[in-house]
Amino acid sequence: MGALVWKAIRKEETKQPLPLLDKPWRELKFTEEVRTELIEDIKKYTTKTDDVEQPRILLIGQIKAGKSSFFNSVNSVFKGYPIFQATACEKETSMSKYCRTYAVYDSKSGKTLPFTFCDIMGLEPYSVGGIHVKDIINVIRGYIPDNYKFNPMEAKEVCKTCTEQPSLADKVHCIVYVIDASVVNLLEKELQNKFDEIHEEAHRLGIPQLVLLAKVDLTCNIVKDDLTKVYQSRYIHEKVIKVSQMVGVPVSCILPVKNYWWETELDMKVDILTLKALQQILRQSEAFFDEIKQRGKSREAPPLTCEGISCRLSNS
């Protein structure tokens, strides 16, 4: 009898957990009604300050993570069909060599929507030409203009194109780290250190930080077959916990998404995850403007300077 009990205990210990949680760790309905509500909510968004009409959302992530693809997905939803304006590619080196600012337009009214994305060079080890953290910090502080070309292999003594006195509107108001869910456990230590440096500086400046957990469909077969199970997948939930600990943001600020890549028509489920992520990003952006008001700097730029020799300001 004792042996049978022992076997039963060992069997219970080795039993694999079910792939689906008993209940979703985040509630979200996937219906056309929800999709429409999210679109309308985003369209009517306004900031709490007269100094900024469109919050600048900076997308940061390693190469092939899906930074440019997320902008393309947002753009696609409001265009009404998949469109790939920002260069996205599966090459081993970053396709985004420039600092690019992208607006999104409503296809029906033609009006600019109340937010802009800032897309920069992907994070890579310095040994293969990765962007310097100081360059990213200069983007955050508003010194780097649109169409500025990064060249980490060639440090510039003077940057004549940089913004000398950035306004509040020039600065980044929300940082979104884009992480490929399929390689969370494979991030190199150097990239992890870069994330830590950026996180520390953003925290000091009072800038909200979120994470897009991209490519969830390529990470979990259950989610690949049914995207509505994304918040019930035990595997995705474990990835979310891991990323929260790794990047240092709460679970509530980690947003699973599937970006458009090969599709020629929109998918309601993909749209809802994209729109929900964007809605949360805009909501969190308000925390920056609240922080600025508390610091008494809503009309005055913080006394910051441009970092590093790769981007020194010049009066010439």
Side-chain angles (χ1 to χ4, degrees), residues 225-238:
D225 294 336
D226 184 358
L227 200 56
T228 66
K229 295 291 195 296
V230 65
Y231 292 124
Q232 203 172 347
S233 164
R234 184 181 301 275
Y235 189 68
I236 296 298
H237 185 240
E238 291 172 352

Side-chain angles (χ1 to χ4, degrees), residues 135-190:
D135 283 332
I136 296 175
I137 291 174
N138 285 330
V139 172
I140 293 171
R141 293 175 172 180
Y143 289 104
I144 304 295
D146 189 27
N147 279 315
Y148 176 87
K149 185 176 182 179
F150 297 107
N151 188 356
M153 304 302 291
E154 179 183 310
K156 297 180 181 179
E157 290 299 327
V158 176
C159 174
K160 297 182 179 181
T161 62
C162 292
T163 305
E164 187 170 354
Q165 293 183 331
S167 66
L168 184 60
D170 294 322
K171 304 177 188 300
V172 167
H173 311 114
C174 185
I175 293 174
V176 178
Y177 303 103
V178 184
I179 296 179
D180 182 344
S182 66
V183 297
V184 168
N185 297 325
L186 301 176
L187 284 182
E188 297 184 43
K189 183 62 177 178
E190 186 177 339

